[in-house]
Amino acid sequence: MIVGITIITVSILVNQVTKETFSKNNPGLDAVVGAKGSPLQLILSSIHHIDIPTGNISYQNARKIIKHPAIKSAIPISLGDNFQNFRIVGTNKTFLKLYKANLISGTTWSQPMQAVIGYNVSKITKLKINKFFVGSHGLIDTGDVHAEQPYKVVGVLKKTGTILDNLILTSLDSVWNLHSVTNKDKLEITSLLLKYKNKTSSFSFPRLINKGTNMQAASPSFEISKLLKLTGNAHRIVDYLSVLIIILSFLGILFTLLNNINERKYDLAVLRTLGFSRWKLFSIILSEGMIISILGSTIGLIFGYIIYESMYYFSIVGRSLELGQLNFLNDLFLIWIIVNIIAFITCLVPCLKVYKQNIRSTLLNS
Amino acid sequence: MLICEDISFDIDGQKLFSNINLNIKPQKDLLITGPSGVGKTTLLSILCGIQKPTTGKITYNSIDLYNLPENKIDEFRGINLGVVFQNFNLINTFTVKQNLEIAVGAIDTKKSIPFFNILDRVGLANKSHIKVANLSIGEKQRLAVARAFVGDPKWVFCDEPTSSLDDKNADIIANLIKDESLRCKASLVLITHDNRIQSLIKFSKILKLGD
């Protein structure tokens, strides 16, 4: 029972939070344009910051896209460095508006090498306004740092519950300066986050980019739904497995109670002679079964939640996926109720056996 | 008052006994004797509400026992009757004290029960934490008597309480039953084929089954 409920709890939490997080991290973006490669990788790296980018694109080419009549807004981002595994994102201030971000303290950057840090970054790294830090090469902390050019924290963002909480934002110039790119023709960015003026562009625009340029345009909603479909199948297998374990635990409760009753039928008959009514014994046996079920399902839920929280806390992936609102608790509560209702029905079998017991023949046969 | 009217009992269509009529006034004693196999234990089960008779009616102070719902019969037995079974019917995995506690638990009494006094009277005060399985036959019999009287019943039924005991222990048990009946002001119905019992307890009525 505990194992089954634990597995199903973890599965539900991971499934729900993943869906919710993916949806919260995308504030209505229609497309991402980046270097050719896996479109899913481009989406995961540019919006959800859980994969490496497919490469860089020319900023000159990107500017052409920004000016395209089908585009309502375009935000360039440039990745490449991190601080204590938190990604440093070079971008413009529209990125903050995209996530409706507000500052707890400080201001946004006004010159290169100034940074605005997300809520979780500030909490975990203890960085504060006017503190300096140096970025490391790459997207995972390798110790290879840009020691000569530290960033200065100028602002800390309020919690948004999105990926923004785990990012360090700075200007594009900061990233270019840090990597000594001075030739304006050779400036590069990682990707461009786009919103269309008209949704009908979602068919024509990607085709234009994918066939006419050395870049690719990927749709976040399409790629993420593909990903969730794939992971959903894995979740379903885990769910079926946990349901099977729960069914086995019901049978366990049933046979344990039946076995107990068989072993204690003489004692139960003695209790009847002492004045315990059929209903009293019925309720005692029912209570025994329900205590096992309620304890098992509750401990399973708690274990599941602890395992999920540990996964969330200890994994880098988890760190960049922000815990969503707790509306999935309703699902867990529903499962808890259903499991205990089925356990109640299961317990009725041995209870009825006790209820129908003939005390005289039981005592005589004993 | 306990009144039995025209009690009969059939097993597989064969009459075990029939037309048994009894009338036991408060604090009066009845001895039911007879050879083995005449239905003494069955009659006791019927009087206690454990076995429904084939015909007849049993009333306790105008309460028709078998007219009560089954749950109420169990409750009535727990509150008003004390039973000492031939094979004791103790819970062997429980301790001496737990066997008394469970009997008190059955009647939901709010009275505080002086378990130590009861065990002291039956000579088991120093064995209260010993499991029943480890008691001797005589000790089990004494515990069975203690349990029957623990709720201060109005009627007490004893089935062969001395048959398996030696003279010394039979004397102890008979005196215990007599003393506890007097203390509880209970009517006593005792079933036995053991002739020694009549010299130990004076009964106001004697019913011979199988005559």
Side-chain angles (χ1 to χ4, degrees), chain A residues 91-107:
Chain A
T91 184
N92 59 31
K93 291 174 189 172
T94 323
F95 190 89
L96 294 169
K97 285 182 192 155
L98 182 71
Y99 284 96
K100 297 186 177 73
N102 292 308
L103 291 153
I104 297 176
S105 58
T107 173

Side-chain angles (χ1 to χ4, degrees), chain A residues 319-337:
Chain A
R319 190 185 269 192
S320 59
L321 287 175
E322 181 58 43
L323 185 69
Q325 285 177 328
L326 298 178
N327 54 11
F328 51 78
L329 285 181
N330 290 338
D331 291 348
L332 295 181
F333 186 60
L334 188 68
I335 285 177
W336 189 88
I337 299 257

Side-chain angles (χ1 to χ4, degrees), chain A residues 13-56:
Chain A
L13 287 172
V14 170
N15 202 9
Q16 296 265 21
V17 172
T18 308
K19 273 185 198 163
E20 227 173 87
T21 308
F22 276 132
S23 124
K24 278 183 93 178
N25 282 350
N26 181 2
L29 291 169
D30 295 316
V32 176
V33 172
K36 280 202 187 295
S38 155
L40 177 61
Q41 189 182 340
L42 177 63
I43 299 298
L44 290 177
S45 61
S46 296
I47 299 180
H48 303 288
H49 298 273
I50 49 173
D51 203 348
I52 53 167
T54 47
N56 283 340

Side-chain angles (χ1 to χ4, degrees), chain A residues 109-122:
Chain A
W109 60 88
S110 54
Q111 51 185 291
M113 304 317 291
Q114 290 184 339
V116 170
I117 59 173
Y119 181 84
N120 291 348
V121 180
S122 152

Side-chain angles (χ1 to χ4, degrees), chain B residues 26-50:
Chain B
Q27 297 185 56
K28 296 292 178 189
D29 308 322
L30 168 70
L31 175 68
I32 303 173
T33 62
S36 294
V38 291
K40 298 189 297 296
T41 300
T42 304
L43 178 59
L44 180 128
S45 297
I46 290 169
L47 295 174
C48 296
I50 291 171

